[in-house]
Amino acid sequence: MGRGRAPCCEKIGLKKGSWTPAEDMRLVAYIRRHGHGNWRALPKQAGLLRCGKSCRLRWINYLRPDIKRGNFTMEEEETIIKLHQLLGNKWSKIASRLPGRTDNEIKNMWNTHLKKRLSLDSTSSSSSSSISSNSNSTSSDPRKADSDSSNEDIDVDPLSCPITTDHKVFSCSSSSSSDMTDHQPVQPLSESTNVVDETDMGVPVGLDLDIWDDVFDHDSWLPICDWEGPPPPPPEGGIEATTVGGDHGESERWIAYLERELGLWASWGDQE
DNA sequence: AAATCATCCAACCGCCTGTGC
DNA sequence: CGCACAGGCGGTTGGATGATT
């Protein structure tokens, strides 16, 4: 690209802006059923009036079941700072060392919190803080930082893989070049486990999806929270790594969680 | 209570890279 | 080898929300 390539999608008639819960559910349903082999073709096949890029971004940054949401821990922040020293603005590489965190999330975290914090640190203690000195050089102009020879060749993880914090961790069986945004495409569900129904609004039910660690007991996978009560708390504890094709109970629990997260619970209840 | 300002973060945009033909 | 395409990345934007006046 960069060679006069046409836009990734027809701009006309495609929706932009925030995603609605129904769109989210439709996207999740499609990906869990068919995988995402071709992002450009996906929205059409899934019946979404969205650009393929938009679908991909939404999936990676928000809908992927292995996303860890909630505040960054101190360990995570320190990890980001250290990795930024090494890698510069290579957010996807940094994200690959922080299981459950997306490059976008880390980038936002850096721009809104860590950069300020480091600049404050550097001014308050003008002594030789390697972090502040390095971050200054990299954050001012990331492209320069990228071309810096010290950052250039860090393709292989200079640290052990991955840097873990107190949360659930992905297996690191894949090669070092992979990262969180570069997982193998989600595999379609097998027919036997693939029970996807769609309501009139395209909301799937019976998906085989993963579940939050905080929401379900790890051994029994029974819900910890009261499902008849208020919605479950935000998944601050992170989510277990994906195991596509797990048992059906997982599906239902996950979809129940999604329904609540996306605010579809009430509307579904109305429909039934 | 209303207006204004500041902050956060989801999403978009444009460019780059990798791959197949 | 060159081209076209798709995926991916990083920078930026703008709406939403919270804080302050």
Side-chain angles (χ1 to χ4, degrees):
Chain A
M1 287 168 17
R3 301 179 202 164
R5 180 187 170 182
C8 70
C9 50
E10 299 173 45
K11 303 285 180 181
I12 303 167
L14 290 183
K15 203 174 163 214
K16 288 171 68 175
S18 297
W19 282 65
T20 65
E23 285 178 308
D24 284 341
M25 296 299 286
R26 191 179 276 268
L27 179 60
V28 169
Y30 183 87
I31 290 176
R32 298 302 300 191
R33 188 175 193 176
H34 302 288
H36 55 64
N38 185 339
W39 284 111
R40 186 165 294 206
L42 187 149
K44 197 171 220 174
Q45 293 164 359
L48 287 162
L49 291 174
R50 292 279 182 174
C51 167
K53 273 188 172 185
S54 183
C55 293
R56 175 184 162 272
L57 217 58
R58 183 63 176 171
W59 171 256
I60 287 173
N61 288 334
Y62 199 83
L63 297 175
R64 221 176 52 193
D66 42 32
I67 293 287
K68 180 188 177 192
R69 307 198 72 80
N71 293 336
F72 280 75
T73 65
M74 283 302 295
E75 285 182 11
E76 286 177 307
E77 291 183 13
E78 291 306 315
T79 299
I80 292 169
I81 291 167
K82 284 173 185 162
L83 288 173
H84 190 269
Q85 282 183 257
L86 289 165
L87 301 167
N89 292 9
K90 298 288 186 186
W91 305 119
S92 62
K93 288 205 187 316
I94 294 173
S96 72
R97 306 298 168 227
L98 288 164
R101 299 296 188 185
T102 69
D103 54 352
N104 206 35
E105 199 175 11
I106 291 169
K107 179 171 59 183
N108 282 334
M109 178 62 177
W110 176 264
N111 287 330
T112 58
H113 291 105
L114 299 181
K115 201 157 72 174
K116 290 177 193 171
R117 198 173 90 189
L118 288 176
S119 65
L120 283 176
D121 288 351
S122 65
T123 53
S124 62
S125 63
S126 58
S127 60
S128 60
S129 164
S130 61
I131 288 176
S132 56
S133 62
N134 271 328
S135 68
N136 284 343
S137 66
T138 53
S139 60
S140 60
D141 188 347
R143 309 264 170 171
K144 279 183 197 168
D146 293 349
S147 66
D148 189 319
S149 60
S150 66
N151 295 329
E152 189 72 19
D153 295 324
I154 306 177
D155 259 342
V156 181
D157 186 5
L159 308 167
S160 61
C161 167
I163 289 172
T164 61
T165 57
D166 57 338
H167 52 271
K168 293 287 182 272
V169 175
F170 287 92
S171 70
C172 192
S173 56
S174 54
S175 72
S176 61
S177 63
S178 69
D179 61 38
M180 294 293 298
T181 60
D182 193 25
H183 286 116
Q184 65 275 29
V186 172
Q187 299 302 312
L189 298 172
S190 66
E191 283 302 319
S192 59
T193 59
N194 178 21
V195 184
V196 175
D197 230 336
E198 291 198 356
T199 66
D200 289 340
M201 56 185 295
V203 178
V205 294
L207 291 171
D208 186 14
L209 298 169
D210 305 309
I211 52 180
W212 306 112
D213 214 11
D214 267 0
V215 180
F216 303 102
D217 178 73
H218 191 275
D219 293 319
S220 66
W221 291 115
L222 294 172
I224 293 168
C225 59
D226 176 13
W227 289 100
E228 299 304 315
E236 291 185 0
I239 318 163
E240 278 291 84
T242 302
T243 52
V244 175
D247 71 53
H248 263 288
E250 283 189 26
S251 312
E252 291 165 10
R253 287 189 285 265
W254 166 263
I255 203 67
Y257 181 82
L258 261 187
E259 290 164 9
R260 289 171 182 269
E261 274 291 289
L262 298 174
L264 290 173
W265 190 261
S267 60
W268 285 38
D270 293 346
Q271 291 182 0
E272 300 182 359

